[in-house]
Amino acid sequence: RAKELGRNNYQFYCPAMNARTLERLRIEADLRHALERNELVLHYQPQVDVLSGAIVGMEALLRWEHPVLGVVSPASFISLAEEMGLIIPIGAWVIRTACLQNMAWQEAGLGKLRMAVNLSARQFTGKDLLQSVADALEESGLAARYLELELTESMVMNDVDSAITILRRLKELGVHIAIDDFGTGYSSLSYLRRFPIDVLKIDQSFVADIALGADGAAIVVSIISLAHSLRLKVIAEGVETAEQLAFLREHGCDEVQGYFFSRPVGALEFEHLIAQGRCAMA
Ligand code: C2E
Ligand code: MG
Ligand code: MG
Ligand code: MG
């Protein structure tokens, strides 16, 4: 009797598992064609100077506009793209599109802003990275100093010596390097000093904790002071409230980014934001 029940249960769950597997296979198959079907788009989120309120840069954030599923967030398909090896062509497309868009905005007289682009681990260590960055700069005509590449701590700490080599070559091209989600990884301070980087981005979890009291606030203050003592610029991510902004301004954070100013928006909407010149500051 128990055996029979077990078997029934098994039969009951089996189709559901198949459905999940099928859905994943379907998404994998669709992702393979997303680029050529023009389903990938970049959204842009402004980076704002803490003191002046001027928009000084933006971060390009990838979106997949799936014909059936709607907008798919990168959190759910970037790692799949990594596993499938698709991150290399997709990543190259992101760099190229971001450079072309930034140059188009500069030529349209919308100002000289810096464009930040996220790199994935496989992209960072892949053999094509330097070439695809150089190609994107050449094709777009964008000056390298207006391109910033965002890496995470784990990407550079995994193999410190080869990371330093890659970073040096990127710096020779003239691009800027930022460490994203700073504070969540395990980078050691002695290594941090050796990396040729320009920017630390304070992870949004610490910014969210500012209001909760001493600990979150203390971490934010120490990252700002660490960055400045290494002569790096510091950007806070995930700024959502006027209180967080006031705290960051008081403690000398250089730039801020978050829903308080704007969500990531499509290119047209971003043009309207730039045209307004600045983001509302409390
Ligand atoms: P990230 O680079 O740390 O980007 C910040 C994420 O926080 C973005 O999520 C952004 O929309 C979100 N965010 C911005 N302001 C706020 C705020 O005030 N509050 C909150 N709660 N969230 C905020 P998104 O766009 O879903 O991207 C998630 C992650 O996916 C990114 O984290 C990045 O690691 C990765 N990613 C996005 N685009 C690309 C890409 O083109 N290539 C690669 N390799 N990774 C990408
Ligand atoms: Mg980022
Ligand atoms: Mg981040
Ligand atoms: Mg992140």
Side-chain angles (χ1 to χ4, degrees), residues 262 280 282:
S262 170

Side-chain angles (χ1 to χ4, degrees), residues 29-44:
D30 289 351
L31 189 55
R32 233 176 261 291
H33 299 288
L35 248 189
E36 73 206 36
R37 290 178 182 158
N38 294 317
E39 293 167 0
L40 298 182
V41 291
L42 293 183
H43 282 193
Y44 304 93

